[in-house]
Amino acid sequence: MKQISRFSHFGELSDKDYFRIALSVDCVIFGFEDGELKVLVIKCNIKEYKGLWSLLGDLVKPDEDLDTASYRILKERTGLDDVYLEQVQTFGQVGRHPAGRVITTAYFSLVNIKDHQLKLSDNELHWHPVNEIAEMAFDHMEILKGCLERLREKVIDHPVVFNLLPKKFSLRELQSLYEAILNIKLDRRNFRKKFFMMDWLIDLEELEEDVPHRPGKLYKFNQAKFGRKTKKVS
Amino acid sequence: MKQISRFSHFGELSDKDYFRIALSVDCVIFGFEDGELKVLVIKCNIKEYKGLWSLLGDLVKPDEDLDTASYRILKERTGLDDVYLEQVQTFGQVGRHPAGRVITTAYFSLVNIKDHQLKLSDNELHWHPVNEIAEMAFDHMEILKGCLERLREKVIDHPVVFNLLPKKFSLRELQSLYEAILNIKLDRRNFRKKFFMMDWLIDLEELEEDVPHRPGKLYKFNQAKFGRKTKKVS
DNA sequence: TTCAAATGTGTATTTTTAACACATTATTAC
DNA sequence: GTAATAATGTGTTAAAAATACACATTTGAA
């Protein structure tokens, strides 16, 4: 109770208010490729979790905001600037990291895989199908699940999936993306009807190329209608 | 980049991976009284925010999980054990706390005000109508807004509001609670119909007492249908 | 030229949500 | 005890949203 009082009411933090704690952010970076939802992971080298996949994360710096830290990681890892990023949950279990007390705040982000293919090769980074991951290092499986669930809730009401697609895309690609995220089959006619009604799409009057079948029309996201990408749409 | 590698891949955290950071949790404790949604606040005594309301929070202990810390605060402040608690968001802006770098994880909780009236008197705690708070200490206004928004989303699909009511309640009380949370008027007939359809309620075959009008039937929450209070219902 | 595969399109049905009014019951005031 | 007050309790109709469903068209490939 004394500690509460000191903390809530009176001046500076005293030495014993601090302890050896590290703060990190972990990014669940989603991508979409070959009809599958994928997540960017890296092989874990610490002995406790040798060989398992882990998420991309880093310690937060003393003078760095949480959001800034996660943007930094994304930039460093994917080279991408203008990505969708959303804080999901903070994981603070005492024993979650073998190296000590590390609290991590999880973010999910949505990127178009094609936009940064080049950066991947010389690295141990890897796009892994979300559905095919059963085990990860640390509590990263739990983090991944939490972020996936949040993504699923999000896409139902909010136009965020466009961050996973190239600028121009067909309705088939869009539908297949929703099916991959939600893990369900959708009716093509109802899907199209709904999207046209919502007015989220702009018809580019162009056709797909290099597809082994009748090409579909290409669309782009009606961004003007929603303002900044990362802003929540009500 | 070196720091990323050390952190992600190799053994122990080195000294420079730590910095003077304090971790806290803040609880937005909601209650319902006199037809209003209220939040439990305390007068802030630090000079920068003298006289403003602040949320109830405390530093997390070195060996304490985040969830445990927020339960502890609730227990200390309200005397209540079995409360609904949900993590909402972590606030880590560099300058958010005048005493130093303090990162806080916000939780909201739902309690029945009547259950712990006694504990309040000798304290500076105060139940304040949510709608009448315009300014708070620190970034607590932002935290409150975030939690309120989360609560609003939550109550639409999930049976959590019962935590704000006494064991026995009338449909009028229940509806008035929804109206207070969502800040809208609801149609009484549709409201009742919906609740009976959802099968969330058990008719206690009792009537209200001490009401200055025709008493309504009393109900209790159909808890058996949903398992643990704090568990998410899909 | 034919085949395969995906595009593009509309209607009927069901379900959900929203709007809406009056008789009944208990309390209170006279 | 009678009348006034105030809230309870109850169904139907209309509108909107979600779902189910089939066939002709276009292009690429064989």
Side-chain angles (χ1 to χ4, degrees), chain A residues 1 3-4 16-17 19 21 92 94 101 103, chain B residues 23-25 58-66 69 72 76:
Chain A
M1 208 56 148
Q3 198 172 29
I4 290 181
K16 67 178 193 189
D17 289 329
F19 53 90
I21 182 176
V94 168
R101 185 79 201 263
I103 273 128
Chain B
L23 183 70
S24 69
V25 297
D58 193 13
L59 296 176
V60 176
K61 296 176 179 173
D63 59 347
E64 190 178 43
D65 291 346
L66 289 184
R72 173 171 58 80
E76 285 171 354

Side-chain angles (χ1 to χ4, degrees), chain A residues 44-51 97-99 138, chain B residues 7-11:
Chain A
C44 187
N45 281 328
I46 84 165
K47 63 175 187 301
E48 287 87 348
Y49 297 111
K50 193 86 180 181
H97 200 297
F138 313 102
Chain B
F7 176 65
S8 297
H9 305 313
F10 306 111

Side-chain angles (χ1 to χ4, degrees), chain A residues 13 87 90 228:
Chain A
L13 291 170
Q87 192 197 107
T90 296
R228 290 274 314 128

Side-chain angles (χ1 to χ4, degrees), chain A residues 1 3-26 42-48 54-67 72-73 76-77 87-95 97-103 105 107 123-124 138 149-150 153 232, chain B residues 1 3-26 42-48 54-67 72-73 76-77 87-95 97-103 105 107 123-124 138 149-150 153 232:
Chain A
M1 208 56 148
Q3 198 172 29
I4 290 181
S5 298
R6 186 189 314 112
F7 175 66
S8 297
H9 306 315
F10 304 112
E12 300 302 306
L13 291 170
S14 74
D15 274 345
K16 67 178 193 189
D17 289 329
Y18 299 105
F19 53 90
R20 290 180 75 81
I21 182 176
L23 181 71
S24 69
V25 297
D26 280 298
I42 192 167
K43 270 267 157 58
C44 187
N45 281 328
I46 84 165
K47 63 175 187 301
E48 287 87 348
S54 78
L55 299 170
L56 300 182
D58 192 14
L59 296 176
V60 176
K61 295 175 180 172
D63 59 347
E64 191 178 42
D65 291 346
L66 289 183
D67 292 353
R72 173 171 57 80
I73 289 167
E76 284 171 357
R77 295 304 200 164
Q87 192 197 107
V88 176
Q89 201 187 335
T90 296
F91 295 81
Q93 288 277 116
V94 168
H97 200 297
R101 185 79 201 263
V102 181
I103 273 128
T105 298
Y107 286 75
N123 220 316
E124 301 178 35
F138 313 102
E149 188 177 338
R150 176 72 70 90
E153 292 164 2
K232 189 162 182 184
Chain B
M1 206 55 151
Q3 198 173 27
I4 290 181
S5 298
R6 185 187 316 112
F7 176 65
S8 297
H9 305 313
F10 306 111
E12 301 302 305
L13 292 171
S14 73
D15 273 344
K16 66 177 191 187
D17 289 329
Y18 300 105
F19 54 91
R20 288 180 77 79
I21 182 175
L23 183 70
S24 69
V25 297
D26 280 298
I42 192 167
K43 270 265 157 55
C44 186
N45 280 329
I46 84 164
K47 62 176 187 301
E48 287 88 348
S54 79
L55 299 170
L56 300 183
D58 193 13
L59 296 176
V60 176
K61 296 176 179 173
D63 59 347
E64 190 178 43
D65 291 346
L66 289 184
D67 292 353
R72 173 171 58 80
I73 289 167
E76 285 171 354
R77 295 304 201 164
Q87 193 195 109
V88 176
Q89 201 186 336
T90 295
F91 295 80
Q93 289 276 117
V94 168
H97 199 296
R101 185 79 199 263
V102 181
I103 273 128
T105 298
Y107 286 76
N123 220 316
E124 301 178 35
F138 313 103
E149 189 176 337
R150 176 72 69 89
E153 291 164 3
K232 191 164 180 183

